[in-house]
Amino acid sequence: MPEPSVSPPPAHSSVDHNRAVGRRSLLRATAGAAALGVTLGAPSRAAPPGGARQSVAVFGGGVAGLSVAQELVERGFAVTVYERTAELGGKARSNTVPGSSADGRPELPGEHGYRGFLGFYHNLDELMKRIPYGPGRTTFDNLVPTGTGRFFRTGGRPEVTIANVARPWNPGLTLAEFFTNMLSVLDTSGQMPPAEAEFFARKLLVFMTSSPERREHQWEHLTWTQFLCADTKSAEYNALLARGLTRNLASIRSEDANARSVGIIGEAFLLSLLGFGNTPGAVAVRVLEGATNELWMHPWITHLRNCGTVFETGWEATSLTMSAGQLTGVLVRNPRGGLRTIEADWYVLAMPAERAAPLFTGPVLDADPALEGVHLLRTDWMSGIQFYLRKPLPLTAGGTSFVDSPWALTSISQAQFWKRDMTTYGDGTVHDILSVAIAEWTTPGIVYNKPARDCTRQEIADEVWAQILAHLNDNEPGLLSAADLHSWHLDPAITGTGTPHAANDTPLFIQQPGSWQHRPSATTAVGNLFLASDYVRTDINVATMEGANIAGRMAANAILERSGRTEPPALITTLQHPPLFDAFKAADSDHYRRGLPHALDTEQPAFP
């Protein structure tokens, strides 16, 4: 396959971010200039003479990398995507169970972890509407709504169900009426003191009416549990609200993630439940009506190939070559140890933080010292396991949370949403897939008394199965039994299980307190280098498919600007906020500047 051609490096371009991470005097100068509103800039690169196609090398074939490719190949760039694994799609793709096929059927489908498409994912929705899927259809047409979220309990405690229904937003709401609506959505069936449910709703309202300054400089530096004052509340408050909702929404630990990040996604989701900010006609959570590769990834890759995108798999970026402060090549390696240097007009690193950080050394940091902040970002394990069942198990028409599971389990029953009969896979006897996400890997389980990181693959399966049964059969005895289990499939990214060398090849980026200052923008101070990943700064903030897609669009737009091209930029739709809160946010800006707590944060104000 042809490689992108070589061309002279572009001139040094502007720094559009102001992180301070503490490297050399150059970093201090950069941070100081940003604090004063000074831009360190140089001319943009003009298009090559004669209208020649400019080449773009994208490293990483997940949602972010594929999004960059789509935006640029549609605008006439020659795009090549290099992916270190054999498969494209990153954490969003599905996979299959090796050796599970029989009688000509395809192998059973598996995945990294079930995924929901939230109603406010405007950018991802717009992308999917541009990917053909059969005559007169697009991949967007493969999304179907969910109806409920169900929270199972143990110890005889009643379960909770939250309805996910399409409803019109009332633009005439007062703040008091909005607060009442919030309480109705968060109804916990009397399982905690009513004052605690009201306290939680008030805290959400505090966040929603907080000024941008307070969000960035106060809530960014607290964990979500600290913001919610969880250590002063009941076990039910912690299980259902502080931990349960966060785990169900984003598979992140509320004691690790900062309040700003969780608040942003929680605010958008709550508004979505109340009918505000969704893609027209969408409910708060949707899922694909089949395996991800079949209904989205493979059609997307085919479409990109048809548009001219070149894909090269099995090549991992190992180092960046710099000259005069500009990127001149990327050294890549294949699994056999073969090396080659990729040269292009423009470069996009669309890989996760833990893989990008080792590339930011020496001359790269001299050119853009702020990239050192990527070394300070954290990841954690989050992965999935599928249980293939001999019977349908529609636990609820949406996501399920096993609230009291030590491994923070959530799941979805797939068959109820799929158009394709599941008996057409494997040996023909599987009728449902209980797809489970494991968010907690360091807490001992209930069978082997070991954390998931220390268990073998079989022990992980045994533990997850036992924790699920403890919840289901506590509520409905006999709902699920060992006789119903056909087989299981743990995400192949989990390796070395049961040994000191256990690893997760695809960890989740964690927005720990204070991480925003270390996160880069899509545009770097290296004139021909751009970033696209879920750790890049976007308004959605949390590591999501939507955030990865937005970062991809931002990188594409930066290349358009620096190349001097005149095509319209990729559309980026930001999170929507109801005007109801505007006056309160303005008042809070004044409060924050005067060093005062939020006016509504009166009972237990939280400070870093």
Side-chain angles (χ1 to χ4, degrees):
M1 294 185 181
E3 291 184 16
S5 59
V6 180
S7 91
H12 191 280
S13 186
S14 64
V15 177
D16 65 354
H17 47 284
N18 60 357
R19 289 94 58 213
V21 295
R23 175 184 167 87
R24 301 190 181 103
S25 58
L26 177 58
L27 174 58
R28 291 192 292 272
T30 302
L36 295 172
V38 177
T39 302
L40 307 179
S44 297
R45 175 182 181 139
R53 295 180 73 199
Q54 296 183 51
S55 59
V56 182
V58 179
F59 299 90
V63 170
L66 298 181
S67 298
V68 174
Q70 175 139 357
E71 301 302 339
L72 291 179
V73 77
E74 288 179 352
R75 290 164 173 80
F77 288 82
V79 181
T80 302
V81 176
Y82 300 88
E83 165 57 37
R84 70 182 179 88
T85 69
E87 300 291 334
L88 297 162
K91 288 192 286 287
R93 72 176 184 265
S94 53
N95 51 64
T96 60
V97 182
S100 63
S101 63
D103 300 324
R105 301 180 191 87
E107 294 175 326
L108 289 167
E111 56 192 345
H112 166 76
Y114 73 89
R115 61 195 55 84
F117 296 74
L118 302 183
F120 52 87
Y121 280 9
H122 287 268
N123 297 282
L124 203 64
D125 286 359
E126 192 273 339
L127 167 82
M128 295 178 74
K129 289 177 181 177
R130 291 155 54 198
I131 303 170
Y133 186 84
R137 286 176 57 85
T138 69
T139 56
F140 177 79
D141 298 316
N142 295 327
L143 293 174
V144 293
T146 65
T148 53
R150 193 173 180 185
F151 295 72
F152 281 98
R153 306 301 306 277
T154 59
R157 287 166 289 199
E159 66 185 59
V160 175
T161 298
I162 294 180
N164 171 26
V165 296
R167 67 184 83 190
W169 170 256
N170 177 6
L173 278 176
T174 66
L175 200 64
E177 290 168 335
F178 179 81
F179 184 77
T180 300
N181 285 353
M182 271 203 302
L183 280 174
S184 68
V185 169
L186 298 169
D187 175 29
T188 56
S189 304
Q191 294 185 55
M192 70 180 68
E196 289 194 346
E198 185 173 329
F199 178 83
F200 179 81
R202 195 180 314 116
K203 278 292 189 178
L204 291 184
L205 194 60
V206 165
F207 184 86
M208 291 180 177
T209 55
S210 289
S211 63
E213 299 95 332
R214 192 179 299 279
R215 291 186 182 206
E216 181 171 352
H217 300 294
Q218 185 173 351
W219 307 144
E220 168 72 23
H221 297 280
L222 290 171
T223 66
W224 184 240
T225 54
Q226 289 171 330
F227 173 76
L228 295 177
C229 306
D231 60 342
T232 69
K233 304 302 177 191
S234 68
E236 294 301 287
Y237 177 94
N238 276 272
L240 283 169
L241 299 179
R243 291 196 306 270
L245 288 178
T246 308
R247 177 194 309 170
N248 222 43
L249 185 59
S251 294
I252 55 179
R253 289 158 44 97
S254 58
E255 57 268 44
D256 289 340
N258 69 68
R260 180 193 187 196
S261 298
V262 179
I264 286 172
I265 201 83
E267 172 186 39
F269 184 67
L270 180 58
L271 289 171
S272 177
L273 286 172
L274 294 173
F276 181 87
N278 291 328
T279 294
V283 298
V285 183
R286 299 150 299 157
V287 294
L288 285 166
E289 57 184 5
T292 306
N293 277 359
E294 295 177 24
L295 300 190
W296 181 26
M297 280 300 154
H298 288 170
W300 191 8
I301 293 162
T302 297
H303 174 62
L304 290 174
R305 280 198 172 104
N306 291 341
C307 290
T309 305
V310 175
F311 293 99
E312 295 207 30
T313 58
W315 292 100
E316 179 178 8
T318 61
S319 64
L320 309 180
T321 304
M322 300 285 294
S323 177
Q326 302 300 306
L327 188 58
T328 58
V330 177
L331 185 67
V332 297
R333 178 179 56 216
N334 65 22
R336 298 176 300 279
L339 298 173
R340 57 193 279 215
T341 298
I342 306 301
E343 298 176 341
D345 293 313
W346 310 100
Y347 302 85
V348 182
L349 299 186
M351 57 186 69
E354 73 277 5
R355 298 198 176 275
L359 303 178
F360 299 147
T361 59
V364 180
L365 294 180
D366 290 337
D368 190 347
L371 291 177
E372 190 171 26
V374 180
H375 290 266
L376 302 178
L377 299 179
R378 280 183 50 204
T379 61
D380 202 354
W381 286 30
M382 194 288 289
S383 203
I385 184 171
Q386 286 77 55
F387 293 101
Y388 303 97
L389 306 178
R390 293 190 173 94
K391 70 175 186 181
L393 188 72
L395 297 175
T396 190
T400 302
S401 179
F402 302 99
V403 176
D404 303 303
S405 58
W407 287 5
L409 306 178
T410 55
S411 76
I412 195 166
S413 300
Q414 301 280 25
Q416 62 187 318
F417 299 109
W418 286 27
K419 273 190 173 181
R420 181 169 177 172
D421 187 340
M422 287 197 175
T423 61
T424 61
Y425 293 97
D427 63 7
T429 65
V430 170
H431 288 264
D432 208 343
I433 303 175
L434 187 64
S435 187
V436 184
I438 308 169
E440 172 55 69
W441 289 77
T442 59
T443 300
I446 64 174
V447 176
Y448 300 103
N449 197 35
K450 295 192 295 186
R453 283 189 186 224
D454 295 341
C455 290
T456 66
R457 298 181 80 83
Q458 183 64 57
E459 288 171 343
I460 292 172
D462 292 344
E463 270 287 359
V464 174
W465 182 255
Q467 292 177 36
I468 290 173
L469 289 184
H471 285 74
L472 297 186
N473 294 335
D474 189 78
N475 287 264
E476 299 180 43
L479 182 61
L480 188 63
S481 69
D484 301 320
L485 179 60
H486 174 279
S487 55
W488 54 268
H489 173 63
L490 180 64
D491 183 358
I494 304 298
T495 60
T497 56
T499 77
H501 307 292
N504 185 345
D505 192 54
T506 55
L508 182 70
F509 167 56
I510 302 298
Q511 299 79 20
Q512 77 268 27
S515 58
W516 185 257
Q517 66 178 322
H518 305 308
R519 295 170 62 178
S521 299
T523 307
T524 76
V526 180
N528 57 347
L529 174 63
F530 307 86
L531 307 178
S533 186
D534 57 15
Y535 70 91
V536 169
R537 289 184 174 189
T538 66
D539 75 320
I540 202 168
N541 197 294
V542 176
T544 57
M545 296 183 293
E546 174 80 345
N549 175 249
I550 294 171
R553 292 172 186 242
M554 291 168 64
N557 288 347
I559 290 175
L560 283 171
E561 180 180 0
R562 286 190 174 176
S563 65
R565 300 288 287 265
T566 58
E567 292 89 344
L571 174 69
I572 297 177
T573 302
T574 58
L575 287 172
Q576 300 175 37
H577 302 279
L580 169 65
F581 302 139
D582 289 350
F584 298 93
K585 291 179 180 178
D588 188 53
S589 288
D590 178 65
H591 272 241
Y592 182 80
R593 285 193 295 269
R594 293 160 56 196
L596 300 174
H598 191 288
L600 300 178
D601 200 14
T602 56
E603 185 176 337
Q604 286 181 262
F607 296 94

